[in-house]
Amino acid sequence: MIEMDIPEDIKSNLKESSCLAFRDGIVLCKSNDFPLKSDASSVTEIDRSAQDILIRHVIYDHPESPLTVEYTADRKFIEKIVNNKHVNVVFLDDSMKEKSLVKVQLSKEEIAIMKKEASLA
């Protein structure tokens, strides 16, 4: 578990079944759908539109029903996760209590694509 203080504005803006890039390579997801195991394999997909970079992690915690985490990220957040080589996805319940944590490892290819999309040298 990660010890963090979530500001009130984020608590009020984080809607059910949504995720957002928080800080320090942490993604917050408010959901009643938690991963079945924290060490599941995953694939990261990156899309770019106008000024936003959309990141999608497909977490294979269940063979027939993988869990998808999707959020937009800015250049600063992408720079952090590229340097860390992973993303910590924290799943929160309705009362904003941490229920699960998944550490999504990024492959060299995923990092290269993120650097390109975020214009990081």
Side-chain angles (χ1 to χ4, degrees):
M1 300 294 186
I2 297 175
E3 193 64 37
M4 65 187 145
D5 185 28
I6 303 171
E8 287 302 317
D9 64 322
I10 291 181
K11 287 181 182 179
S12 62
N13 288 326
L14 188 59
K15 305 297 179 214
E16 180 64 36
S17 300
S18 67
C19 301
L20 61 80
F22 181 48
R23 65 174 177 236
D24 300 327
I26 299 171
V27 173
L28 301 177
C29 293
K30 184 176 178 184
S31 175
N32 291 318
D33 189 11
F34 305 116
L36 300 175
K37 50 186 179 176
S38 61
D39 61 346
S41 64
S42 63
V43 173
T44 299
E45 302 169 352
I46 300 102
D47 292 319
R48 184 171 186 74
S49 65
Q51 296 184 354
D52 291 330
I53 297 173
L54 179 69
I55 300 176
R56 187 177 310 107
H57 305 293
V58 181
I59 302 168
Y60 295 99
D61 64 324
H62 186 280
E64 296 167 14
S65 179
L67 186 62
T68 302
V69 171
E70 188 173 275
Y71 57 95
T72 57
D74 62 13
R75 189 172 189 264
K76 182 179 175 184
F77 186 84
I78 291 175
E79 189 170 26
K80 183 71 173 180
I81 64 176
V82 161
N83 289 335
N84 290 346
K85 297 181 174 73
H86 72 270
V87 179
N88 287 313
V89 182
V90 178
F91 292 86
L92 306 166
D93 65 11
D94 291 333
S95 62
M96 301 303 283
K97 298 233 187 295
E98 185 177 335
K99 289 297 179 185
S100 184
L101 168 70
V102 174
K103 185 175 183 177
V104 176
Q105 295 293 339
L106 301 174
S107 71
K108 288 180 182 180
E109 295 80 17
E110 292 165 345
I111 289 170
I113 293 169
M114 283 185 183
K115 283 181 173 181
K116 180 182 174 205
E117 292 297 333
S119 302
L120 299 173

